[in-house]
Each structure stands twice: as structure tokens, then as C-alpha cells.
Amino acid sequence: MHRTEKQSNVCRTVTAGGPTLNNMPYEYLDTPCVLLDLNQLDANISEMTHWASDAGISLRPHTKVHQSAWIAQRQLEAGACGIEVGTLDQAEVMAREGIHDIVVGHPFYGRHKLETLRRIISNPVNDVTLVVDMMEQADGIVEVAKQVNRTVPVLLKIDTGGSRRYGVPPGAPAVRVASELCKLEGIRLVGIYGHEQGAKNTDEGLAAKASEDASLLCETARAMRDVGIGIEHVSVGASPTFRWTCKFIKEGRFPEITEIHPGNCVIGDIGYM
């Protein structure tokens, strides 16, 4: 394991129990430059893994905060079931680095992105699940899926409030879109996806947001199953709220939830670098 230590004005990269690999005075580092405390990084990874394991659900960390295959591999080695990325370009890089179980968290549209998707899923080893919130997006995915003779799994993004960036309203509107997705050949609706945003940064605010969004997702999942839409996955759990989500699940609430996807808590920074 490598870690970075600070001694005086020198940045030292060392191996645990081994010799110094590199000595560089800080003034020689070009900026902007990110220095990670790898001991803290591993502690953060371990904490995320523990919360998910203790709740009996899968952890799929969002990697957009670091966009590093090396860090993603450490997360997988610690017990993550796969990774999540923001964009298809990020997915392509991760797949090239040998990480193949990937969820693309942002819905997308357009010829360039569909060509990127074609390159990714042309390799049968890549197990990529896509998040959608419009039929027009699904139509493009179907077109590419037929070109490469594959069925692509998709998750329907649910808008739980907060930023209202993406997503279909929960409940009946989501059921209607899910029903239409199930009619398309070339994709398979495997679940629903929500991402908590807009929580007040207090214990009470985070707990309330985790409970509210988990309730919306689970109610929507039950509504879909009631009309014969056999979804398998329900994914929630942003960095601010995932501890509360896991706590509630361990207490027996929200049994429909199968996966959490916290991201920036692996770095521990309040904002994205």
C-alpha cells in the first residue's frame, strides 16, 4: 500500500514497511494538485463497505468524484458489487481499465453518446446498466442494442425532489413510463434509481430526507410489482444520507432497497474537488 506523508516541506510517497519511493519538495509540485491521505481513503472505503454490509444490501460507489480506476479497484476489493459513473465516457475509461460491472447514472441522448455506448457494449465482458427517464433515450439505446445483438439493462430514474435535475415523478407517472419501457425489445427494465438531494445538513434533516426518499422509491417499486412489472433493483443512498438509509434498512424498514450508491464520501471533502 502506498500513502503520502508530510515531513517538513517535502512530500514523501512511501510503501508500508518499505523504502522511500519518491521525495519531492512541495514547491516542485505543479498546481492544481490533489494529495490524498491514503490511510484515510482506505478508512472511508471501509466505512462505506461496513454500513452496506451491516444493512444486508449491496454497495455500488459512485466514482465521479475521483474518476480513478485505481481508487475504484480498491473499492471493489473492499467489497463493492460494482461501480457507478456519471457519463458514458467515464464508463468507457473504467471498462478499458478492467472494471466491467458499471451503472451509468446520468441519462443521456445524442449520436455521439450512442456511438460511445456501442463501443462499450460491443465487448461482451462489459456489464453496463443505463439510467433513463425518457422514452426518447430508451429508443436510442434499443437501436444500439439491436446493432450489437444484446439486451441492455436499464434503471428508471425517479425524481424525488431536491434539484429536479432528472427523473420521472414517483408513483403512477413512473409506473406508466415503466410499462412503456417493458414493451421495447433490446432493453430490460431491471429497477428504479433515486438520488437524495436538498437535505438539510443536520442529523434531523438527513434522517428525514433519507426516510422520505426511501419511502417514495419503495412505494413506487411496490406499485410497479402490483401491475406485474418485475423489477429487481431499488437503488438510493447519496453520500449525505446513506448512513441513515442503511440504519433504517437494518431496523427492518424499506426492504425493497437493494443497493446504495454514495460517492464523494470516499474522499471526505464537503465539496467536489
Side-chain angles (χ1 to χ4, degrees):
M1 183 187 75
H2 298 82
R3 66 185 187 276
T4 300
E5 294 181 345
K6 180 178 180 181
Q7 290 188 348
S8 179
N9 66 334
V10 175
C11 175
R12 301 180 64 245
T13 303
V14 303
T15 58
T20 297
L21 295 180
N22 193 19
N23 287 277
M24 181 178 291
Y26 280 104
E27 61 264 30
Y28 286 94
L29 294 173
D30 195 14
T31 57
C33 179
V34 176
L35 301 179
L36 290 180
D37 181 332
L38 298 189
N39 292 326
Q40 186 61 53
L41 179 76
D42 285 340
N44 292 345
I45 291 172
S46 179
E47 183 195 6
M48 295 165 69
T49 305
H50 169 75
W51 277 99
S53 176
D54 207 34
I57 56 176
S58 297
L59 168 67
R60 182 180 297 275
H62 205 313
T63 62
K64 67 179 180 180
V65 64
H66 57 72
Q67 298 186 39
S68 164
W70 184 83
I71 295 177
Q73 192 60 53
R74 290 179 91 83
Q75 294 175 303
L76 291 168
E77 291 169 357
C81 67
I83 67 167
E84 183 175 324
V85 298
T87 68
L88 283 167
D89 288 339
Q90 293 170 12
E92 188 170 32
V93 171
M94 290 295 186
R96 193 181 309 138
E97 293 297 319
I99 298 173
H100 303 295
D101 189 339
I102 303 171
V103 167
V104 180
H106 292 176
F108 59 88
Y109 184 77
R111 287 289 115 192
H112 171 77
K113 293 178 176 62
L114 290 173
E115 176 57 26
T116 303
L117 174 62
R118 188 195 62 77
R119 290 196 302 268
I120 296 170
I121 66 174
S122 290
N123 185 343
V125 75
N126 291 329
D127 182 10
V128 177
T129 301
L130 307 174
V131 173
V132 300
D133 63 359
M134 295 172 59
M135 294 304 297
E136 291 84 352
Q137 298 157 351
D139 289 339
I141 296 167
V142 165
E143 178 184 329
V144 174
K146 290 179 178 178
Q147 291 173 8
V148 298
N149 195 30
R150 290 190 67 174
T151 298
V152 178
V154 299
L155 298 167
L156 179 61
K157 175 70 181 286
I158 307 299
D159 177 11
T160 58
S163 72
R164 300 203 177 279
R165 291 189 304 175
Y166 301 111
V168 177
V175 173
R176 286 195 295 270
V177 176
S179 298
E180 293 302 311
L181 290 172
C182 289
K183 297 175 183 177
L184 299 178
E185 295 184 6
I187 65 171
R188 182 170 70 93
L189 179 66
V190 297
I192 56 178
Y193 174 103
H195 193 75
E196 304 90 329
Q197 294 186 349
K200 293 181 180 179
N201 194 24
T202 64
D203 282 347
E204 294 80 7
L206 295 173
K209 185 61 175 172
S211 178
E212 176 187 352
D213 285 22
S215 295
L216 288 173
L217 267 291
C218 291
E219 289 167 6
T220 300
R222 290 194 295 270
M224 289 181 180
R225 289 167 179 161
D226 285 345
V227 297
I229 302 173
I231 60 170
E232 305 159 13
H233 302 294
V234 177
S235 179
V236 296
S239 286
T241 54
F242 85 92
R243 296 173 182 85
W244 287 101
T245 301
C246 290
K247 177 178 181 293
F248 294 147
I249 294 171
K250 186 178 178 181
E251 292 172 351
R253 300 173 62 187
F254 313 124
E256 292 83 4
I257 294 174
T258 58
E259 196 169 275
I260 56 170
H261 50 255
N264 68 327
C265 59
V266 70
I267 301 297
D269 198 18
I270 293 175
Y272 283 46
M273 292 177 293

